[in-house]
Amino acid sequence: MSAYRDSFFKYMVRTGPSPMGIEPVKAEGSYIYDRHGKAYLDLVAGVSALPLGHRHPAVEEAVRRQLDRYWHVMVYGEFIQDISVQLAQKMASLLPPRLQSMYPVNSGTEAVEASLKLAKRYTGRPKIVAARYSYHGNTQGSMSVMGFEPRKIPFTPLIPGVEFIRYNDESDLEKIDGRTAAVILETIQGGAGFIEPRGDYLRKVRQRCDETGALLILDEIQTGFGRTGRMFGFENYGVVPDILVTGKALGGGFPIGAFHASPEMTETLRRPPMGHITTFGGHPVVAAAALETLNQIERLELCRASLDKERFIRETFRHPLIQEIRGRGLMLALMMPDKQTADRLILEALDRGVILFWLLYEPRAVRLTPPLTVSREELARAWQIIKDILDRHS
Ligand SMILES: Cc1ncc(COP(=O)(O)O)c(C=O)c1O
């Protein structure tokens, strides 16, 4: 018997066709426990949002310390809240000189919105270039740069002045021109099926931006913070964006987003005054969680760990029904022959206590984005179950 199932369907807005419906009562490390005491090995990590797994003790301790000091005290940018400043300082130490100024907000999509505003404000140009099959969030600005028509048409009109290019197709780069404020790209396309930039594609984009004076915005909301084996995904491809957008993993399980750019660029948000404002951005409790999450990613050497575990997965997860493993680090997608096989694997694995998930636009993909702290033993245990399910469907 479920205590809240009926009320969940009755009182909470539902937008997905069939929710997974787990009722968690506790989560720790790589596991979520439901109200019947069933343990689920979490290979999704809140959709790439839990680099340290659930309730990492150091993050919990940092949050408790901040809870004892002060919570929300003022809107963003008025008071000098030491913990938020420390977070910005820490981010600056991890990022190249061009990205030293940080504005923390409350979610990924909000950070994307702000980055688009900043690009238009700084360049004075009207046009944004985005990629087909991109995903940048679900508010109106972010949906305007979403490269998947079926999801956005019902919500039109969205923001005008967006042109789309094919990701990894250099012949489209001529659409970036003197009217372009910014090109926004995911460093690795997520919803599209964990599509990596091929060869020196990102460098070519960077070059075209430099030639035309357009800014390069990289959305690292999913690829950031060790998931691809480097602290930031762009480090894999030898480019530095003009504006970086982060979120998800940065909060270590608390809601956050942020954009990062040069002080010269971000100061344009002071003219007119209050060019971007938020009540809760830089929230001190979230900032405490984020700062400690960054410290732990470094302390536990999770960038290297993510590559080690990628190797283990690629060597171990071999099966005739796995046609390809896409992605990098612990941002991996098992490619199934068809949607039915992917659906069956995800649902049967859930039944057997392993959480897998879908990608937004690629129905053949099965998401594998575990906590970066997941152990080899946990991955091996998950593989036994996945293999067993696939064997029965071969
Ligand atoms: C690449 C990318 N950009 C933006 C977002 C939106 O972030 P949020 O859900 O925090 O608004 C996501 C979330 O999945 C994402 O993966």
Side-chain angles (χ1 to χ4, degrees):
M1 262 294 283
S2 156
Y4 288 103
R5 196 174 173 83
D6 290 348
S7 299
F8 171 71
F9 285 110
K10 187 167 174 191
Y11 297 116
M12 297 200 75
V13 173
R14 181 149 69 103
T15 63
S18 49
M20 291 179 125
I22 294 178
E23 292 183 58
V25 291
K26 194 174 167 76
E28 196 163 9
S30 302
Y31 283 92
I32 297 174
Y33 302 89
D34 77 4
R35 52 192 301 279
H36 308 290
K38 180 169 172 180
Y40 293 86
L41 179 51
D42 183 4
L43 299 190
V44 176
V47 186
S48 306
L50 300 164
L52 310 176
H54 297 273
R55 289 178 51 244
H56 190 281
V59 175
E60 189 170 336
E61 177 52 34
V63 166
R64 280 188 205 284
R65 269 199 311 273
Q66 187 56 39
L67 283 173
D68 283 342
R69 297 180 71 228
Y70 59 92
W71 303 359
H72 178 67
V73 283
M74 189 43 166
V75 296
Y76 174 81
E78 293 296 332
F79 291 2
I80 301 170
Q81 301 183 42
D82 51 5
I83 193 80
S84 318
V85 179
Q86 286 172 40
L87 172 62
Q89 244 171 352
K90 178 73 191 174
M91 281 300 300
S93 76
L94 298 171
L95 284 166
R98 190 186 284 183
L99 299 168
Q100 295 287 289
S101 179
M102 172 185 192
Y103 194 135
V105 291
N106 310 286
S107 67
T109 196
E110 196 183 331
V112 168
E113 297 282 340
S115 74
L116 298 174
K117 276 174 64 182
L118 175 60
K120 287 181 178 171
R121 174 68 189 92
Y122 181 71
T123 62
R125 297 178 179 185
K127 182 172 129 182
I128 301 287
V129 171
R132 299 211 174 278
Y133 297 101
S134 62
Y135 182 75
H136 298 288
N138 247 256
T139 49
Q140 297 238 338
S142 303
M143 277 190 101
S144 305
V145 291
M146 173 192 277
F148 192 69
E149 300 292 312
R151 292 273 168 96
K152 59 195 270 197
I153 299 284
F155 301 100
T156 50
L158 294 167
I159 295 172
V162 182
E163 277 187 38
F164 287 89
I165 56 176
R166 288 165 295 185
Y167 192 82
N168 272 332
D169 190 329
E170 286 174 27
S171 63
D172 275 4
L173 296 184
E174 61 190 29
K175 287 193 182 170
I176 304 167
D177 58 22
R179 295 176 65 250
T180 308
V183 180
I184 181 165
L185 295 176
E186 293 155 89
T187 306
I188 295 177
Q189 283 203 308
F194 290 0
I195 308 292
E196 279 199 80
R198 261 202 311 270
D200 58 357
Y201 176 69
L202 279 187
R203 270 202 290 261
K204 290 270 166 54
V205 176
R206 174 75 269 178
Q207 199 180 338
R208 180 72 186 162
C209 285
D210 291 341
E211 284 161 14
T212 56
L215 302 178
L216 175 60
I217 303 174
L218 285 182
D219 176 344
E220 294 246 1
I221 288 167
Q222 180 155 212
T223 49
F225 308 105
R227 185 142 297 276
T228 70
R230 306 292 291 261
M231 188 57 92
F232 302 99
F234 65 76
E235 296 172 73
N236 292 304
Y237 307 106
V239 290
V240 176
D242 300 293
I243 305 176
L244 174 72
V245 188
T246 59
K248 283 190 190 274
L250 174 58
F254 287 81
I256 198 167
F259 62 91
H260 315 258
S262 69
E264 179 212 354
M265 201 179 290
T266 55
E267 79 177 16
T268 59
L269 296 175
R270 294 206 295 271
R271 300 187 305 274
M274 308 299 180
H276 195 73
I277 55 178
T278 156
T279 300
F280 286 123
H283 191 284
V285 177
V286 179
L291 179 61
E292 191 53 35
T293 298
L294 292 177
N295 288 336
Q296 293 297 327
I297 289 173
E298 285 188 312
R299 194 182 71 81
L300 300 169
E301 299 186 22
L302 292 183
C303 292
R304 208 181 59 205
S306 139
L307 292 179
D308 288 346
K309 290 164 207 171
E310 174 189 10
R311 222 169 291 124
F312 178 76
I313 290 172
R314 287 190 183 279
E315 281 162 10
T316 312
F317 287 35
R318 288 172 186 230
H319 193 278
L321 288 181
I322 300 177
Q323 301 190 322
E324 183 191 351
I325 301 182
R326 288 211 196 127
R328 184 185 275 255
L330 287 179
M331 181 175 171
L332 298 175
L334 308 179
M335 300 305 294
M336 298 285 119
D338 49 45
K339 172 174 161 38
Q340 287 81 348
T341 316
D343 288 354
R344 273 203 218 135
L345 173 57
I346 292 166
L347 295 174
E348 288 182 28
L350 183 67
D351 207 40
R352 295 182 58 179
V354 174
I355 302 178
L356 302 168
F357 205 49
W358 293 268
L359 298 187
L360 272 175
Y361 315 136
E362 172 49 272
R364 289 192 304 124
V366 175
R367 169 189 282 273
L368 214 57
T369 54
L372 307 185
T373 49
V374 71
S375 70
R376 278 167 184 250
E377 293 69 31
E378 287 164 342
L379 288 172
R381 200 172 312 146
W383 173 242
Q384 282 314 312
I385 292 171
I386 293 170
K387 179 176 177 304
D388 190 47
I389 295 168
L390 293 178
D391 280 347
R392 279 188 297 105
H393 289 295
S394 298

